[in-house]
Amino acid sequence: MSSTRSQASSSYAAFHQRSITQRDAFWAEQAGLIDWQTPPRQICDYSKPPFAKWFVGGTTNLCHNAVDRHLKDRAQQPALIAVSTETGREQVYTFADLHLEVQRMAAALLSLGVTQGDRVLIYMPMIPEAVFAMLACARIGAIHSVVFGGFASGSLATRIDDAEPKVIVSADAGSRGGKVTAYKPLLDEALRQSRHQPASVLLVDRQLAPMPLVPGRDQLWSALREQHLYTPVPVVWVDATHTSYTLYTSGTTGKPKGVQRDTGGYAVALAASMKYIYEGQAGETYFSTSDIGWVVGHSYIVYGPLIAGMATILYEGLPIRGMDGQPDPGIWWRLVEKYKVTRMFSAPTAVRVLKKQDPVYLKRHDLSSLKALYLAGEPLDEPTAQWISDALHVPIIDNYWQTETGWPILSIANGVEKTPGKFGSPGVPMYGYDVKLISESTGEELTGPDQKGVLAIEGPLPPGCMQTVWRDDARFVNTYWKSIPGRLIYSTFDWGVRDQDGYFFILGRTDDVINVAGHRLGTREIEECIASHTNVAEVAVVGVADALKGQVALAFVVARDASGLGEAQARLRFEGELMQVVDRQLGAVARPSRVLLVQLLPKTRSGKLLRRALQAVAEGRDPGDLTTLDDPGALQQVRELLAGKS
Ligand code: AMP
């Protein structure tokens, strides 16, 4: 195949190939990017597939690599820059400050009886103490489990029961767009619902909401911190395979799935990604706009940048609100200018929010420090990529990965070889990932260009990827490794195609597949097609049960300019135009049975479209757990539209 040939001749292709064919030698080299107390004896033990053990025999510590290691060269350089446009606070912690604060938190946890292997559940807003808590756990070998602060009691309770934490670290409240959400009552309610009870709850009082304490159980961080201002807490050296954290995947129904991650493999994977993908240099500033409740927050707010010796910005607030609480769609660019951010990481949704604002906000700030913007978590549509690219004049690098993998599966590794990206494609397989496209029906590998298959990864998964599902090895094997008949191969549950140059395109989740009269269609394909109409701002397509065709597609569309669509006739014309676009580009088989104009699509607070909720509502079913839904009004409008009320 020409693509393989043309890639093999370039140096990234050789780098990638070596990572697969000379796996151990490749990763042994990367292991040199971090500090080890004892070097690994064996690079990869894959004697019990699909369970991979990386850097066996090595001992290390994530907190040491993120903090202590940098004290020699950059103790007085910024490490953590905490900015809250919600409270107007801006705090800069140097590596020396961070070292002290983390030890204080570690001492507090030790005083509450936390020992190596114990779980600590962190239910926190985006405040520095959340980062101290994560690093403190890593320091003493405790396993942290961060639960996104936007989750409500029910989701929190199931996670408490699954993780069985000895201690929960939390705070009085979070705040978003000036609206305070009290966390403590949510936590208390979760603890009323959960079977498991922690020995202690450690609470940060931000003075945002009243916080009654439960005597004997609840402890104030301020009091314990005071007691341990200068208590040294040495790093606990743990096995490379020691579990560093669990993180529950979003959007799953039923029992939550705790993605379990190791220590040594994760540290090496992050250090390598900071070098080859994110190209971060020690002393520079990294700004990821994600949340610590998500995997991006773990890898690229906390551990990755710090391991690389960079300062990392922790941001609490909206992208369009300033330090004084007034509207300021330039706030992120203000921070880029002020802290000379070189690498920025965000999500396409956030860019689409900014796209609706006056572009003058981007021009007001000196963004000359910025070298690249990385976007991930959802498909990056071409118009959005083009808009931000024109505005920033830096490479826009899409990267595709999952909570399960911890770092990019597909991207562009400019740190290895400068390579052009292609809009609409997250790029090529990253080193360590033996990515295949598999025919779902036959299990055979698809090697030709433009063939649609399931994106799968041949074992062993590279360092940094999930070890297993927390306390459920069988679920790990059955969910991820057995979905393709006759093969033990990791399924990402995403459809993809590879073009003739070897670039991949993601077509949506395999579990969002639509089967219309026997034709299998990816919702993403139809969405992309509809989105090419100039008056479409956003679109979601879901498959809805149909007595005749099995399923039909329903399209929910947010118009860019809805002012001319007030009249029923104008709406019908617009819908007809959209149907025609689909007819033209994909064929009538993919034409949605209905196009519904909505003001808003139902999304989680992290920006993920809640397709299953949309689908359930469209089918008249219960949409299930909606705790992650950002704006309940979005689903209500859909209900009313379907019922013909508006
Ligand atoms: P999560 O584990 O919540 O981050 O979700 C991972 C899923 O998000 C992937 O399996 C994809 O379906 C989707 N995803 C993540 N990054 C991208 C991307 N760059 N392009 C397209 N889809 C993405």
Side-chain angles (χ1 to χ4, degrees), residues 215-241:
R217 186 196 75 183
D218 295 353
Q219 309 284 336
L220 279 178
W221 158 241
S222 53
L224 284 185
R225 181 179 180 274
E226 203 61 36
Q227 282 172 31
H228 295 288
L229 280 180
Y230 300 104
T231 309
V233 178
V235 153
V236 173
W237 300 106
V238 294
D239 283 341
T241 55

PDB file of all heavy atoms in Angstrom, residues 215-241:
ATOM      1  N   PRO A 215     -19.229  15.730  63.640  1.00  0.00           N
ATOM      2  CA  PRO A 215     -18.171  15.538  64.632  1.00  0.00           C
ATOM      3  C   PRO A 215     -17.565  14.137  64.531  1.00  0.00           C
ATOM      4  O   PRO A 215     -18.279  13.164  64.298  1.00  0.00           O
ATOM      5  CB  PRO A 215     -18.884  15.719  65.976  1.00  0.00           C
ATOM      6  CG  PRO A 215     -20.201  16.365  65.653  1.00  0.00           C
ATOM      7  CD  PRO A 215     -20.536  16.011  64.237  1.00  0.00           C
ATOM      8  N   GLY A 216     -16.258  14.092  64.682  1.00  0.00           N
ATOM      9  CA  GLY A 216     -15.562  12.801  64.646  1.00  0.00           C
ATOM     10  C   GLY A 216     -15.213  12.350  63.248  1.00  0.00           C
ATOM     11  O   GLY A 216     -14.280  11.582  63.048  1.00  0.00           O
ATOM     12  N   ARG A 217     -15.952  12.800  62.247  1.00  0.00           N
ATOM     13  CA  ARG A 217     -15.678  12.370  60.868  1.00  0.00           C
ATOM     14  C   ARG A 217     -15.048  13.490  60.036  1.00  0.00           C
ATOM     15  O   ARG A 217     -14.070  13.286  59.337  1.00  0.00           O
ATOM     16  CB  ARG A 217     -16.980  11.914  60.204  1.00  0.00           C
ATOM     17  CG  ARG A 217     -16.796  11.317  58.831  1.00  0.00           C
ATOM     18  CD  ARG A 217     -18.109  11.239  58.058  1.00  0.00           C
ATOM     19  NE  ARG A 217     -18.527  12.544  57.566  1.00  0.00           N
ATOM     20  CZ  ARG A 217     -19.668  12.790  56.907  1.00  0.00           C
ATOM     21  NH1 ARG A 217     -20.525  11.794  56.703  1.00  0.00           N
ATOM     22  NH2 ARG A 217     -19.973  14.007  56.486  1.00  0.00           N
ATOM     23  N   ASP A 218     -15.616  14.668  60.148  1.00  0.00           N
ATOM     24  CA  ASP A 218     -15.180  15.777  59.285  1.00  0.00           C
ATOM     25  C   ASP A 218     -14.028  16.557  59.902  1.00  0.00           C
ATOM     26  O   ASP A 218     -14.075  16.919  61.083  1.00  0.00           O
ATOM     27  CB  ASP A 218     -16.358  16.718  59.014  1.00  0.00           C
ATOM     28  CG  ASP A 218     -17.475  16.045  58.217  1.00  0.00           C
ATOM     29  OD1 ASP A 218     -17.260  14.894  57.775  1.00  0.00           O
ATOM     30  OD2 ASP A 218     -18.533  16.663  58.049  1.00  0.00           O
ATOM     31  N   GLN A 219     -13.019  16.813  59.099  1.00  0.00           N
ATOM     32  CA  GLN A 219     -11.843  17.548  59.571  1.00  0.00           C
ATOM     33  C   GLN A 219     -11.621  18.742  58.651  1.00  0.00           C
ATOM     34  O   GLN A 219     -11.792  18.624  57.441  1.00  0.00           O
ATOM     35  CB  GLN A 219     -10.587  16.665  59.475  1.00  0.00           C
ATOM     36  CG  GLN A 219     -10.706  15.307  60.102  1.00  0.00           C
ATOM     37  CD  GLN A 219     -10.624  15.367  61.617  1.00  0.00           C
ATOM     38  OE1 GLN A 219     -10.052  16.305  62.165  1.00  0.00           O
ATOM     39  NE2 GLN A 219     -11.208  14.384  62.276  1.00  0.00           N
ATOM     40  N   LEU A 220     -11.185  19.842  59.246  1.00  0.00           N
ATOM     41  CA  LEU A 220     -10.902  21.013  58.413  1.00  0.00           C
ATOM     42  C   LEU A 220      -9.445  21.003  57.952  1.00  0.00           C
ATOM     43  O   LEU A 220      -8.526  20.832  58.759  1.00  0.00           O
ATOM     44  CB  LEU A 220     -11.174  22.300  59.192  1.00  0.00           C
ATOM     45  CG  LEU A 220     -12.633  22.741  59.253  1.00  0.00           C
ATOM     46  CD1 LEU A 220     -12.767  23.997  60.094  1.00  0.00           C
ATOM     47  CD2 LEU A 220     -13.207  22.969  57.846  1.00  0.00           C
ATOM     48  N   TRP A 221      -9.250  21.181  56.665  1.00  0.00           N
ATOM     49  CA  TRP A 221      -7.904  21.231  56.095  1.00  0.00           C
ATOM     50  C   TRP A 221      -7.087  22.339  56.758  1.00  0.00           C
ATOM     51  O   TRP A 221      -5.911  22.140  57.085  1.00  0.00           O
ATOM     52  CB  TRP A 221      -8.002  21.428  54.577  1.00  0.00           C
ATOM     53  CG  TRP A 221      -6.795  21.997  53.904  1.00  0.00           C
ATOM     54  CD1 TRP A 221      -6.738  23.164  53.214  1.00  0.00           C
ATOM     55  CD2 TRP A 221      -5.481  21.423  53.829  1.00  0.00           C
ATOM     56  NE1 TRP A 221      -5.476  23.354  52.714  1.00  0.00           N
ATOM     57  CE2 TRP A 221      -4.680  22.304  53.083  1.00  0.00           C
ATOM     58  CE3 TRP A 221      -4.901  20.265  54.338  1.00  0.00           C
ATOM     59  CZ2 TRP A 221      -3.336  22.077  52.818  1.00  0.00           C
ATOM     60  CZ3 TRP A 221      -3.556  20.022  54.077  1.00  0.00           C
ATOM     61  CH2 TRP A 221      -2.786  20.912  53.335  1.00  0.00           C
ATOM     62  N   SER A 222      -7.709  23.494  57.012  1.00  0.00           N
ATOM     63  CA  SER A 222      -6.942  24.613  57.583  1.00  0.00           C
ATOM     64  C   SER A 222      -6.338  24.215  58.935  1.00  0.00           C
ATOM     65  O   SER A 222      -5.193  24.560  59.229  1.00  0.00           O
ATOM     66  CB  SER A 222      -7.830  25.847  57.735  1.00  0.00           C
ATOM     67  OG  SER A 222      -8.992  25.512  58.454  1.00  0.00           O
ATOM     68  N   ALA A 223      -7.078  23.453  59.735  1.00  0.00           N
ATOM     69  CA  ALA A 223      -6.575  23.068  61.058  1.00  0.00           C
ATOM     70  C   ALA A 223      -5.441  22.054  60.929  1.00  0.00           C
ATOM     71  O   ALA A 223      -4.385  22.182  61.565  1.00  0.00           O
ATOM     72  CB  ALA A 223      -7.711  22.484  61.892  1.00  0.00           C
ATOM     73  N   LEU A 224      -5.633  21.048  60.073  1.00  0.00           N
ATOM     74  CA  LEU A 224      -4.597  20.020  59.924  1.00  0.00           C
ATOM     75  C   LEU A 224      -3.349  20.607  59.261  1.00  0.00           C
ATOM     76  O   LEU A 224      -2.222  20.244  59.604  1.00  0.00           O
ATOM     77  CB  LEU A 224      -5.126  18.835  59.113  1.00  0.00           C
ATOM     78  CG  LEU A 224      -6.069  17.904  59.871  1.00  0.00           C
ATOM     79  CD1 LEU A 224      -6.433  16.696  59.027  1.00  0.00           C
ATOM     80  CD2 LEU A 224      -5.450  17.426  61.167  1.00  0.00           C
ATOM     81  N   ARG A 225      -3.566  21.513  58.323  1.00  0.00           N
ATOM     82  CA  ARG A 225      -2.426  22.149  57.649  1.00  0.00           C
ATOM     83  C   ARG A 225      -1.576  22.882  58.679  1.00  0.00           C
ATOM     84  O   ARG A 225      -0.339  22.797  58.670  1.00  0.00           O
ATOM     85  CB  ARG A 225      -2.943  23.113  56.585  1.00  0.00           C
ATOM     86  CG  ARG A 225      -1.847  23.814  55.804  1.00  0.00           C
ATOM     87  CD  ARG A 225      -2.458  24.730  54.750  1.00  0.00           C
ATOM     88  NE  ARG A 225      -1.425  25.418  53.984  1.00  0.00           N
ATOM     89  CZ  ARG A 225      -0.863  26.557  54.355  1.00  0.00           C
ATOM     90  NH1 ARG A 225      -1.217  27.149  55.485  1.00  0.00           N
ATOM     91  NH2 ARG A 225       0.079  27.115  53.599  1.00  0.00           N
ATOM     92  N   GLU A 226      -2.246  23.604  59.569  1.00  0.00           N
ATOM     93  CA  GLU A 226      -1.558  24.361  60.621  1.00  0.00           C
ATOM     94  C   GLU A 226      -0.700  23.437  61.478  1.00  0.00           C
ATOM     95  O   GLU A 226       0.437  23.754  61.823  1.00  0.00           O
ATOM     96  CB  GLU A 226      -2.632  25.045  61.487  1.00  0.00           C
ATOM     97  CG  GLU A 226      -2.177  26.259  62.255  1.00  0.00           C
ATOM     98  CD  GLU A 226      -1.680  27.370  61.337  1.00  0.00           C
ATOM     99  OE1 GLU A 226      -2.239  27.558  60.222  1.00  0.00           O
ATOM    100  OE2 GLU A 226      -0.711  28.030  61.724  1.00  0.00           O
ATOM    101  N   GLN A 227      -1.239  22.256  61.777  1.00  0.00           N
ATOM    102  CA  GLN A 227      -0.494  21.293  62.615  1.00  0.00           C
ATOM    103  C   GLN A 227       0.721  20.729  61.901  1.00  0.00           C
ATOM    104  O   GLN A 227       1.643  20.230  62.526  1.00  0.00           O
ATOM    105  CB  GLN A 227      -1.401  20.113  62.975  1.00  0.00           C
ATOM    106  CG  GLN A 227      -2.385  20.377  64.082  1.00  0.00           C
ATOM    107  CD  GLN A 227      -3.361  19.201  64.205  1.00  0.00           C
ATOM    108  OE1 GLN A 227      -3.020  18.054  63.933  1.00  0.00           O
ATOM    109  NE2 GLN A 227      -4.582  19.508  64.602  1.00  0.00           N
ATOM    110  N   HIS A 228       0.677  20.732  60.558  1.00  0.00           N
ATOM    111  CA  HIS A 228       1.735  20.033  59.814  1.00  0.00           C
ATOM    112  C   HIS A 228       2.514  20.962  58.892  1.00  0.00           C
ATOM    113  O   HIS A 228       3.009  20.533  57.853  1.00  0.00           O
ATOM    114  CB  HIS A 228       1.118  18.889  58.993  1.00  0.00           C
ATOM    115  CG  HIS A 228       0.531  17.819  59.855  1.00  0.00           C
ATOM    116  ND1 HIS A 228       1.298  16.954  60.585  1.00  0.00           N
ATOM    117  CD2 HIS A 228      -0.753  17.513  60.143  1.00  0.00           C
ATOM    118  CE1 HIS A 228       0.512  16.140  61.273  1.00  0.00           C
ATOM    119  NE2 HIS A 228      -0.740  16.464  61.021  1.00  0.00           N
ATOM    120  N   LEU A 229       2.636  22.214  59.311  1.00  0.00           N
ATOM    121  CA  LEU A 229       3.286  23.195  58.426  1.00  0.00           C
ATOM    122  C   LEU A 229       4.680  22.744  58.004  1.00  0.00           C
ATOM    123  O   LEU A 229       5.088  22.951  56.872  1.00  0.00           O
ATOM    124  CB  LEU A 229       3.375  24.556  59.118  1.00  0.00           C
ATOM    125  CG  LEU A 229       2.104  25.399  59.103  1.00  0.00           C
ATOM    126  CD1 LEU A 229       2.328  26.720  59.824  1.00  0.00           C
ATOM    127  CD2 LEU A 229       1.620  25.650  57.672  1.00  0.00           C
ATOM    128  N   TYR A 230       5.387  22.141  58.946  1.00  0.00           N
ATOM    129  CA  TYR A 230       6.775  21.749  58.621  1.00  0.00           C
ATOM    130  C   TYR A 230       7.028  20.266  58.877  1.00  0.00           C
ATOM    131  O   TYR A 230       8.127  19.866  59.210  1.00  0.00           O
ATOM    132  CB  TYR A 230       7.761  22.647  59.392  1.00  0.00           C
ATOM    133  CG  TYR A 230       7.551  24.102  58.985  1.00  0.00           C
ATOM    134  CD1 TYR A 230       6.875  24.990  59.827  1.00  0.00           C
ATOM    135  CD2 TYR A 230       7.962  24.547  57.731  1.00  0.00           C
ATOM    136  CE1 TYR A 230       6.626  26.303  59.421  1.00  0.00           C
ATOM    137  CE2 TYR A 230       7.707  25.853  57.317  1.00  0.00           C
ATOM    138  CZ  TYR A 230       7.037  26.718  58.161  1.00  0.00           C
ATOM    139  OH  TYR A 230       6.782  27.997  57.751  1.00  0.00           O
ATOM    140  N   THR A 231       6.002  19.444  58.726  1.00  0.00           N
ATOM    141  CA  THR A 231       6.203  17.995  58.883  1.00  0.00           C
ATOM    142  C   THR A 231       6.758  17.428  57.578  1.00  0.00           C
ATOM    143  O   THR A 231       6.068  17.467  56.559  1.00  0.00           O
ATOM    144  CB  THR A 231       4.859  17.279  59.195  1.00  0.00           C
ATOM    145  OG1 THR A 231       4.231  17.936  60.279  1.00  0.00           O
ATOM    146  CG2 THR A 231       5.063  15.811  59.503  1.00  0.00           C
ATOM    147  N   PRO A 232       8.001  16.946  57.610  1.00  0.00           N
ATOM    148  CA  PRO A 232       8.504  16.380  56.346  1.00  0.00           C
ATOM    149  C   PRO A 232       7.842  15.031  56.071  1.00  0.00           C
ATOM    150  O   PRO A 232       7.669  14.224  56.975  1.00  0.00           O
ATOM    151  CB  PRO A 232      10.012  16.210  56.600  1.00  0.00           C
ATOM    152  CG  PRO A 232      10.172  16.242  58.080  1.00  0.00           C
ATOM    153  CD  PRO A 232       8.942  16.831  58.711  1.00  0.00           C
ATOM    154  N   VAL A 233       7.434  14.837  54.848  1.00  0.00           N
ATOM    155  CA  VAL A 233       6.858  13.538  54.469  1.00  0.00           C
ATOM    156  C   VAL A 233       7.662  12.998  53.294  1.00  0.00           C
ATOM    157  O   VAL A 233       7.529  13.466  52.163  1.00  0.00           O
ATOM    158  CB  VAL A 233       5.371  13.660  54.076  1.00  0.00           C
ATOM    159  CG1 VAL A 233       4.817  12.302  53.652  1.00  0.00           C
ATOM    160  CG2 VAL A 233       4.545  14.231  55.225  1.00  0.00           C
ATOM    161  N   PRO A 234       8.532  12.024  53.567  1.00  0.00           N
ATOM    162  CA  PRO A 234       9.346  11.498  52.465  1.00  0.00           C
ATOM    163  C   PRO A 234       8.490  10.761  51.442  1.00  0.00           C
ATOM    164  O   PRO A 234       7.404  10.272  51.759  1.00  0.00           O
ATOM    165  CB  PRO A 234      10.321  10.543  53.159  1.00  0.00           C
ATOM    166  CG  PRO A 234       9.755  10.282  54.500  1.00  0.00           C
ATOM    167  CD  PRO A 234       8.792  11.377  54.842  1.00  0.00           C
ATOM    168  N   VAL A 235       9.008  10.719  50.254  1.00  0.00           N
ATOM    169  CA  VAL A 235       8.357   9.992  49.164  1.00  0.00           C
ATOM    170  C   VAL A 235       8.376   8.494  49.471  1.00  0.00           C
ATOM    171  O   VAL A 235       9.374   7.981  49.957  1.00  0.00           O
ATOM    172  CB  VAL A 235       9.142  10.292  47.863  1.00  0.00           C
ATOM    173  CG1 VAL A 235       9.031   9.176  46.856  1.00  0.00           C
ATOM    174  CG2 VAL A 235       8.721  11.635  47.285  1.00  0.00           C
ATOM    175  N   VAL A 236       7.283   7.802  49.207  1.00  0.00           N
ATOM    176  CA  VAL A 236       7.265   6.342  49.323  1.00  0.00           C
ATOM    177  C   VAL A 236       7.545   5.767  47.929  1.00  0.00           C
ATOM    178  O   VAL A 236       6.782   6.018  46.993  1.00  0.00           O
ATOM    179  CB  VAL A 236       5.889   5.848  49.841  1.00  0.00           C
ATOM    180  CG1 VAL A 236       5.801   4.325  49.793  1.00  0.00           C
ATOM    181  CG2 VAL A 236       5.627   6.359  51.254  1.00  0.00           C
ATOM    182  N   TRP A 237       8.640   5.033  47.811  1.00  0.00           N
ATOM    183  CA  TRP A 237       8.959   4.439  46.493  1.00  0.00           C
ATOM    184  C   TRP A 237       8.067   3.240  46.273  1.00  0.00           C
ATOM    185  O   TRP A 237       8.000   2.357  47.122  1.00  0.00           O
ATOM    186  CB  TRP A 237      10.445   4.046  46.421  1.00  0.00           C
ATOM    187  CG  TRP A 237      11.328   5.241  46.620  1.00  0.00           C
ATOM    188  CD1 TRP A 237      12.053   5.553  47.730  1.00  0.00           C
ATOM    189  CD2 TRP A 237      11.527   6.320  45.693  1.00  0.00           C
ATOM    190  NE1 TRP A 237      12.687   6.755  47.565  1.00  0.00           N
ATOM    191  CE2 TRP A 237      12.387   7.256  46.322  1.00  0.00           C
ATOM    192  CE3 TRP A 237      11.055   6.606  44.415  1.00  0.00           C
ATOM    193  CZ2 TRP A 237      12.791   8.436  45.707  1.00  0.00           C
ATOM    194  CZ3 TRP A 237      11.462   7.777  43.800  1.00  0.00           C
ATOM    195  CH2 TRP A 237      12.321   8.678  44.434  1.00  0.00           C
ATOM    196  N   VAL A 238       7.362   3.265  45.185  1.00  0.00           N
ATOM    197  CA  VAL A 238       6.416   2.164  44.929  1.00  0.00           C
ATOM    198  C   VAL A 238       6.831   1.414  43.666  1.00  0.00           C
ATOM    199  O   VAL A 238       7.565   1.945  42.819  1.00  0.00           O
ATOM    200  CB  VAL A 238       4.964   2.690  44.767  1.00  0.00           C
ATOM    201  CG1 VAL A 238       4.456   3.288  46.061  1.00  0.00           C
ATOM    202  CG2 VAL A 238       4.850   3.684  43.614  1.00  0.00           C
ATOM    203  N   ASP A 239       6.315   0.200  43.538  1.00  0.00           N
ATOM    204  CA  ASP A 239       6.584  -0.574  42.321  1.00  0.00           C
ATOM    205  C   ASP A 239       6.008   0.172  41.128  1.00  0.00           C
ATOM    206  O   ASP A 239       4.965   0.814  41.237  1.00  0.00           O
ATOM    207  CB  ASP A 239       5.896  -1.942  42.396  1.00  0.00           C
ATOM    208  CG  ASP A 239       6.655  -2.899  43.290  1.00  0.00           C
ATOM    209  OD1 ASP A 239       7.853  -2.636  43.544  1.00  0.00           O
ATOM    210  OD2 ASP A 239       6.049  -3.879  43.751  1.00  0.00           O
ATOM    211  N   ALA A 240       6.650   0.010  39.994  1.00  0.00           N
ATOM    212  CA  ALA A 240       6.154   0.639  38.767  1.00  0.00           C
ATOM    213  C   ALA A 240       4.714   0.229  38.503  1.00  0.00           C
ATOM    214  O   ALA A 240       3.923   1.001  37.972  1.00  0.00           O
ATOM    215  CB  ALA A 240       7.034   0.236  37.598  1.00  0.00           C
ATOM    216  N   THR A 241       4.358  -0.985  38.897  1.00  0.00           N
ATOM    217  CA  THR A 241       3.015  -1.496  38.620  1.00  0.00           C
ATOM    218  C   THR A 241       1.996  -1.109  39.702  1.00  0.00           C
ATOM    219  O   THR A 241       0.818  -1.447  39.600  1.00  0.00           O
ATOM    220  CB  THR A 241       3.026  -3.034  38.510  1.00  0.00           C
ATOM    221  OG1 THR A 241       3.614  -3.539  39.717  1.00  0.00           O
ATOM    222  CG2 THR A 241       3.833  -3.502  37.316  1.00  0.00           C
TER     223      THR A 241
END
